[in-house]
C-alpha cells in the first residue's frame, strides 16, 4: 500500500454513452495521445447517463425506447468478460437504460469489472475527491412516488422507473461535507443562464420555448447544486456541449446568483424562483463549473472532454482511510463515511414494491430523516465500518444474468426475471440492516431467477 500523492487528477467526461463503449474507449485513447498522456494516466472516466448496461436481449426490453430503435450495444461484452474497460469508469443512469439492472444495484455497484454505477443517488470517494451522482431524469408526476416498479415492468413502469424520486434528492440534501464533482443526466434548471444562453437559445430555440414555460432542466438538481456548491457539475441528456459557471457569493445561494445576472431575457426573469428549498451557504465564495456534453457520434470535441482537474481543492492534507492506492498507482474507490451514515439513517424510509406481493406498503413519513439521526449513524459507521477497515469498495462483481446469446429469440417486450444482486446484499450486510431487495426462493422461482448460481 502506498499513500504518496499524485500530481492532480486526470479525468475524462462523456455526455450520453448510448451503449457505445468500444467507440468511447477508442476515442479516449486518441484524445489522451493528443494531450501527451497515456490512457493509463487517466484516473477515471465519467459517463453522465444513457449508459445502457444491457446484458442480454431481455434487458433490452426494460429500456424505454421504441422496439425498432433498440440496439444491444457494446456493454454485454464488458459484462461477459469478452472486453475489459481500460480505465475506471463511473456512471449514473439516464432515461434510456436497462432499468432492471440499475434497480438491482439501487445503492450502486460494479456493473462490470472496472465500471461502477453510483446508484439511484450516490456518493463515492476517489482518494480525497468526493463524487456524487443522481440518476434518471426529473418528472413532476413521479417525483413524490415510491420506487414501486418491480419486474415484470408494464408500459408505465418502463418509463417511471427512471424518474428521479424525492427520496433520493432528500438523501443528497443531507450531505454537509463538501462535494467536489456532481453528476446528473438532465441539467439543473436555469444553469444555462450562467453560460452563453443567448447562443444556446438561438441555436436551440426549443430550449428557450421550454424555459419560457418553466420546463427546462431539473429543479431538484438545482436544489442539489444550491446545497452542495460542488466544484464541478457534469451532465448529458440535452445532446449539446455547453459550459457555464455559477458564482456563489459568501453567505448566499442560487437565488442571489440568479438575481445578480444582468442579461437574462425579461420574460424569463419574471418566472425565476425567489427562494430555494435548501441552501447550505458557505462563509466563503465558491464557484461551480458546469459542463454538459453531447452523445457519442457527434464530433468528438462535443461529447468527450479530457482534462486535468488539478489538485484537490479542499483537502490539502490527505486524510486516511481514503488514500490507499491500487497496484497501478491509482486511488482505490471507497465508500464515503457520511454517505453510508445517510444511507443507513434513511433505509427505513425507502419505499419499494414488496418482492412477494409487488405492493408498496403505505407510509406517512414526509421527510426522510433529520440531520441528528444522520449524526447518530455516523458514530455507528465509524465504530463498525471505518474502524474495522471496511470502507474500501470491494471488487465483488459476479456476472449473474445470462450473457448475450444472439441465437436466443425473445418475444417483443418479454420481461426478464428479477436477479437478486449479491453486491446489494453485501452492502446491506455491511450496514447490518435488512435487505428489502431480497427475493424469497418461491418468488425467485416464479420469476425464473432460481437456479442461477450467485457467486
Ligand atoms: Zn442521450
Amino acid at each position: 500500500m502506498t499513500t504518496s500523492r499524485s500530481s492532480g487528477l486526470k479525468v475524462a467526461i462523456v455526455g450520453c454513452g448510448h451503449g457505445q463503449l468500444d467507440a468511447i474507449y477508442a476515442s479516449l485513447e486518441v484524445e489522451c495521445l493528443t494531450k501527451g498522456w497515456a490512457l493509463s494516466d487517466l484516473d477515471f472516466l465519467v459517463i453522465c447517463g444513457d449508459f445502457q448496461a444491457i446484458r442480454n436481449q431481455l434487458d433490452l426490453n426494460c429500456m424505454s425506447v421504441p422496439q425498432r430503435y433498440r440496439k444491444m450495444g457494446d456493454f454485454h461484452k464488458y459484462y461477459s468478460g469478452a472486453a475489459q474497460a481500460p480505465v475506471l469508469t463511473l456512471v449514473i443512469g439516464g432515461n434510456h437504460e436497462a432499468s432492471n439492472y440499475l434497480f438491482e444495484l439501487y445503492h450502486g455497484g460494479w456493473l462490470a469489472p472496472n465500471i461502477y454505477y453510483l446508484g439511484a443517488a450516490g456518493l463515492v470517494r476517489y482518494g480525497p475527491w468526493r463524487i456524487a451522482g443522481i440518476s434518471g431524469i426529473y418528472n413532476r408526476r413521479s417525483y413524490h412516488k415510491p420506487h414501486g416498479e418491480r419486474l415484470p415492468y408494464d408500459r408505465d413502469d418502463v418509463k417511471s422507473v427512471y424518474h428521479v424520486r424525492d427520496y433520493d434528492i432528500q438523501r443528497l440534501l443531507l450531505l454537509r461535507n463538501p462535494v467536489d464533482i456532481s453528476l446528473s443526466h438532465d441539467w439543473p434548471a436555469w444553469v444555462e443562464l450562467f453560460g452563453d444562453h443567448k447562443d444556446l437559445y438561438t441555436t436551440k430555440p426549443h430550449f428557450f420555448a421550454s424555459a419560457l414555460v418553466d420546463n427546462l432542466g431539473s429543479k431538484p438538481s438545482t436544489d442539489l447544486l444550491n446545497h452542495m456548491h460542488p466544484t464541478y457539475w457534469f451532465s448529458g441528456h440535452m445532446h449539446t456541449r455547453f459550459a457555464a459557471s455559477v458564482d456563489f457569493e459568501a453567505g448566499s445561494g442560487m437565488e442571489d446568483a440568479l438575481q445578480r445576472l444582468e442579461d437574462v431575457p425579461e420574460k424569463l426573469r419574471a418566472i425565476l424562483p425567489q427562494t430555494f428549498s435548501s441552501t447550505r451557504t458557505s462563509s466563503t465564495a465558491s464557484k461551480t463549473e458546469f459542463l454538459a456534453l453531447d452523445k457519442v457520434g457527434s464530433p468528438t470535441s462535443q461529447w468527450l472532454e479530457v482534462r486535468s482537474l488539478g489538485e484537490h481543492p479542499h483537502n490539502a492534507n490527505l486524510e486516511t482511510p481514503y488514500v490507499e492506492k491500487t497496484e497501478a498507482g491509482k486511488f482505490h474507490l471507497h465508500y464515503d463515511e457520511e454517505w453510508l451514515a445517510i444511507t443507513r439513517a434513511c433505509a427505513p424510509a425507502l419505499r419499494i414494491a414488496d418482492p412477494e406481493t409487488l405492493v408498496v406498503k403505505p407510509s406517512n413519513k414526509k421527510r426522510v430523516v433529520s440531520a441528528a439521526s444522520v449524526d447518530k449513524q455516523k458514530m455507528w459507521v465509524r465504530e463498525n465500518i471505518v474502524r474495522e477497515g471496511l470502507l474500501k469498495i470491494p471488487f465483488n462483481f459476479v456476472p449473474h444474468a445470462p450473457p448475450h446469446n444472439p441465437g436466443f429469440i425473445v418475444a417483443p417486450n418479454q420481461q426478464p426475471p428479477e436477479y437478486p444482486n449479491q453486491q446489494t446484499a453485501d452492502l446491506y450486510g455491511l450496514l447490518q440492516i435488512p435487505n428489502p431487495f431480497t427475493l424469497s426462493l418461491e418468488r425467485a422461482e416464479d420469476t425464473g431467477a432460481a437456479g442461477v448460481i450467485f457467486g
Side-chain angles (χ1 to χ4, degrees):
M1 169 175 150
T2 50
T3 55
S4 71
R5 189 66 210 271
S6 72
S7 58
L9 195 69
K10 291 185 173 71
V11 300
I13 308 122
V14 166
C16 295
H18 290 198
Q20 298 187 59
L21 278 175
D22 293 352
I24 290 173
Y25 293 130
S27 298
L28 192 53
E29 188 155 20
V30 174
E31 285 302 300
C32 282
L33 274 178
T34 60
K35 278 195 140 40
W37 300 351
L39 197 52
S40 58
D41 288 335
L42 275 187
D43 285 283
F44 55 80
L45 158 74
V46 298
I47 300 180
C48 303
D50 285 358
F51 177 75
Q52 304 185 3
I54 297 153
R55 300 165 292 188
N56 54 45
Q57 294 97 317
L58 287 172
D59 278 359
L60 197 52
N61 287 344
C62 296
M63 182 162 83
S64 178
V65 169
Q67 187 98 29
R68 64 185 181 282
Y69 296 122
R70 287 180 197 156
K71 286 206 181 89
M72 275 305 293
D74 302 327
F75 175 79
H76 66 92
K77 293 183 278 183
Y78 297 80
Y79 184 75
S80 68
Q84 265 284 339
V87 56
L88 173 64
T89 304
L90 303 175
V91 306
I92 55 165
N95 53 326
H96 298 113
E97 302 294 354
S99 299
N100 59 321
Y101 189 19
L102 298 192
F103 187 73
E104 282 178 23
L105 289 169
Y106 177 80
H107 293 290
W110 300 104
L111 293 166
N114 230 11
I115 302 178
Y116 192 85
Y117 167 56
L118 265 67
L123 187 147
V124 292
R125 281 269 193 164
Y126 181 82
W129 297 82
R130 296 181 94 215
I131 305 150
I134 180 80
S135 289
I137 57 168
Y138 174 61
N139 177 292
R140 190 175 42 84
R141 285 186 301 278
S142 303
Y143 188 58
H144 294 286
K145 289 185 180 161
H147 287 283
E149 304 83 3
R150 204 106 192 203
L151 288 165
Y153 295 154
D154 65 21
R155 205 185 286 199
D156 295 332
D157 292 337
V158 161
K159 289 194 175 301
S160 62
V161 67
Y162 58 73
H163 290 157
V164 169
R165 303 299 156 89
D166 184 27
Y167 175 80
D168 302 308
I169 295 289
Q170 292 300 334
R171 288 190 297 148
L172 288 166
L173 289 174
L174 284 165
L175 289 167
R176 279 182 287 176
N177 297 330
V179 172
D180 303 299
I181 300 172
S182 190
L183 312 173
S184 67
H185 186 56
D186 45 357
W187 305 5
W190 308 293
V191 76
E192 77 278 6
L193 297 175
F194 296 89
D196 189 351
H197 54 83
K198 273 187 193 142
D199 180 63
L200 183 75
Y201 291 157
T202 307
T203 52
K204 309 247 177 202
H206 57 288
F207 282 29
F208 188 52
S210 297
L212 281 182
V213 292
D214 201 13
N215 191 29
L216 185 67
S218 164
K219 289 173 188 169
S221 282
T222 311
D223 283 334
L224 290 180
L225 170 60
N226 188 38
H227 177 81
M228 295 175 177
H229 301 191
T231 312
Y232 301 97
W233 188 298
F234 303 125
S235 296
H237 191 52
M238 302 302 282
H239 296 175
T240 191
R241 188 187 204 282
F242 186 80
S245 177
V246 186
D247 278 301
F248 296 104
E249 283 187 346
S252 80
M254 192 75 181
E255 53 273 71
D256 293 327
L258 279 168
Q259 293 307 324
R260 281 199 311 278
L261 293 174
E262 284 168 2
D263 56 350
V264 175
E266 275 317 309
K267 280 183 187 163
L268 262 187
R269 186 177 290 286
I271 57 168
L272 286 181
Q274 303 297 315
T275 54
F276 283 85
S277 62
S278 173
T279 297
R280 184 188 55 90
T281 54
S282 138
S283 54
T284 51
S286 62
K287 187 159 91 170
T288 297
E289 212 181 298
F290 173 78
L291 181 65
L293 289 158
D294 202 345
K295 63 177 183 219
V296 183
S298 60
T300 312
S301 63
Q302 300 299 297
W303 61 265
L304 176 64
E305 176 89 357
V306 178
R307 61 188 289 181
S308 169
L309 299 188
E311 297 296 328
H312 187 269
H314 300 294
N315 305 348
N317 298 314
L318 271 188
E319 10 165 349
T320 52
Y322 297 110
V323 294
E324 188 176 337
K325 292 197 170 177
T326 64
E327 278 172 21
K330 300 289 191 284
F331 287 117
H332 256 292
L333 216 51
H334 279 74
Y335 296 119
D336 178 85
E337 210 175 315
E338 186 184 28
W339 183 249
L340 286 182
I342 290 170
T343 305
R344 198 168 193 270
C346 298
L350 171 64
R351 296 177 66 213
I352 62 173
D354 183 272
E356 309 301 323
T357 62
L358 300 186
V359 170
V360 182
K361 290 193 189 91
S363 159
N364 49 17
K365 284 197 179 77
K366 273 228 166 93
R367 278 193 65 85
V368 177
V369 289
S370 66
S373 52
V374 175
D375 286 341
K376 205 173 125 200
Q377 294 306 329
K378 270 186 192 160
M379 286 163 63
W380 187 92
V381 168
R382 215 158 288 158
E383 193 72 28
N384 295 279
I385 296 179
V386 182
R387 246 181 235 165
E388 299 295 316
L390 298 172
L391 268 183
K392 198 159 82 180
I393 296 180
F395 294 115
N396 53 353
F397 168 79
V398 178
H400 60 285
H404 175 48
N405 172 357
F408 185 56
I409 307 298
V410 307
N413 298 323
Q414 183 185 336
Q415 291 289 289
E418 184 168 323
Y419 301 106
N421 196 300
Q422 188 57 44
Q423 293 181 63
T424 297
D426 288 351
L427 182 73
Y428 278 102
L430 179 72
L431 295 172
Q432 298 179 30
I433 47 176
N435 174 9
F437 292 83
T438 313
L439 293 183
S440 71
L441 195 58
E442 295 81 46
R443 170 81 178 128
E445 271 167 4
D446 279 355
T447 71
V452 179
I453 311 296
F454 301 102

